[in-house]
Amino acid sequence: RDFSFVKAPQNIFFIVFLVLAFISTLNQYFDFCFGYYVEFATKVFVLYFAIANLIKSRKQIIFFSSFLVAIGLILSLIGIYQYVHHIGVVYRDEGILRVSGLSEDPNLFAMALVTIIPVSIGLFFAVSNKLRKVIVLSIVFLLTVTTILTYSRAGFLQLSIVLFFSLGLRMLRKNKFLTLISALLVILMILPLVPEKYWHRMRTMTNFRDPAIGKRISGWTVGTEMIMENPIRGVGLGIFRYKYCQHALTSPDIPYKLPLDAHNTYIQTAAEIVIAG
């Protein structure tokens, strides 16, 4: 009974986004797109809209952030357990084991871990108790180490950007000394644990002959073509992979003739829902 909407622009963005997503389903693939939309919209409503409008006080934010950080700790321990017991995706040609946590894909696991890192860093600066700060900083350390154990190149890029915005920019504003000391501690603890094969794999991001890199470039190329060809309504929510196949099979310039995602949230969203989405 006491529910009320928060006066924030995010609610407007949320509603406009769902309207655009619904409009994108009004095509010849409506039966599939609408079913996908219902599931998609429900998740977004529960995971974003409800949380944004129910968690309002500083105390509630800290509690919810602590809950997310606790989930991050559990995920990290699962990943480390997998690494110790040689459970995961094995790349025999590179001689590496990639942990995948509760996901089938190490890249998705890395993304989940990295998403929690800025929340953990924010919580570190929000709590005043020294013991809590040590605990949260230790969890940031574990999240970072587990992200490295996924050997995800996308995870490496995400991790670098997240640490820059979460720590680097904070140094320019406030808590400069505490931020610097905390960052140096985490880095000094992590660097000795990074395997040499990890750096070798990260250097392959510029190897365009690598099939994984080639598939991403194909996804970006075809996705950009979809955006240009469907600027008003998009190709339809959830059917990027199908549309990619159509483009790839009719174009001799696209080497990968199999269902692919864009491997880029911005391109895939713009292609399915239009750029405004």
Side-chain angles (χ1 to χ4, degrees):
R1 288 199 300 269
D2 60 355
F3 177 82
S4 61
F5 291 103
V6 174
K7 293 180 180 179
Q10 283 81 354
N11 281 335
I12 298 173
F13 296 151
F14 169 81
I15 294 169
V16 172
F17 178 71
L18 286 186
V19 169
L20 290 171
F22 174 74
I23 292 172
S24 75
T25 67
L26 303 176
N27 55 41
Q28 59 181 319
Y29 311 105
F30 177 79
D31 288 348
F32 173 82
C33 289
F34 183 71
Y36 185 84
Y37 172 81
V38 171
E39 179 186 0
F40 172 80
T42 303
K43 289 178 180 178
V44 173
F45 183 85
V46 172
L47 297 177
Y48 177 78
F49 185 73
I51 289 172
N53 286 279
L54 288 172
I55 299 177
K56 303 173 183 179
S57 69
R58 177 182 173 84
K59 184 178 179 180
Q60 289 174 327
I61 291 171
I62 290 178
F63 176 82
F64 184 68
S65 299
S66 302
F67 184 75
L68 291 176
V69 172
I71 291 174
L73 173 61
I74 294 170
L75 290 175
S76 295
L77 295 176
I78 291 172
I80 292 170
Y81 176 88
Q82 289 180 335
Y83 184 77
V84 171
H85 291 83
H86 304 286
I87 302 169
V89 181
V90 179
Y91 283 29
R92 299 190 185 281
D93 53 336
E94 298 182 41
I96 61 174
L97 171 74
R98 303 181 62 189
V99 300
S100 57
L102 301 178
S103 307
E104 294 181 1
D105 187 342
N107 292 319
L108 294 177
F109 185 43
M111 182 173 66
L113 295 167
V114 174
T115 301
I116 302 173
I117 288 177
V119 180
S120 305
I121 293 173
L123 186 63
F124 171 79
F125 288 103
V127 298
S128 55
N129 184 284
K130 291 182 180 179
L131 178 60
R132 290 184 182 179
K133 282 187 179 293
V134 171
I135 292 172
V136 175
L137 192 63
S138 301
I139 294 174
V140 172
F141 168 76
L142 289 174
L143 286 167
T144 306
V145 169
T146 312
T147 302
I148 291 170
L149 295 179
T150 65
Y151 283 86
S152 170
R153 290 172 289 199
F156 172 76
L157 290 174
Q158 293 162 351
L159 181 63
S160 302
I161 294 169
V162 160
L163 291 178
F164 172 75
F165 280 105
S166 297
L167 293 173
L169 291 183
R170 186 178 286 271
M171 289 183 191
L172 302 177
R173 297 199 304 268
K174 55 185 178 179
N175 300 321
K176 295 180 181 180
F177 181 73
L178 180 60
T179 303
L180 180 62
I181 295 299
S182 304
L184 288 175
L185 278 173
V186 173
I187 291 171
L188 290 174
M189 288 189 294
I190 289 172
L191 283 179
L193 301 176
V194 181
E196 177 59 32
K197 291 179 181 179
Y198 179 81
W199 298 119
H200 175 74
R201 179 169 171 78
M202 296 310 109
R203 287 193 289 268
T204 63
M205 282 191 286
T206 55
N207 179 14
F208 299 119
R209 295 182 180 179
D210 187 312
I213 303 297
K215 289 176 183 177
R216 283 163 170 76
I217 293 174
S218 293
W220 302 343
T221 303
V222 174
T224 304
E225 291 175 1
M226 291 184 201
I227 295 170
M228 301 298 291
E229 293 172 5
N230 302 272
I232 305 299
R233 195 171 59 187
V235 298
L237 183 67
I239 61 171
F240 185 96
R241 292 165 66 89
Y242 174 71
K243 285 294 184 180
Y244 173 89
C245 273
Q246 284 188 332
H247 277 71
L249 292 172
T250 56
S251 174
D253 299 326
I254 304 299
Y256 298 98
K257 315 291 186 182
L258 67 164
L260 288 179
D261 290 312
H263 288 285
N264 182 298
T265 301
Y266 301 103
I267 292 177
Q268 184 146 340
T269 301
E272 291 188 346
I273 308 177
V274 305
I275 292 176

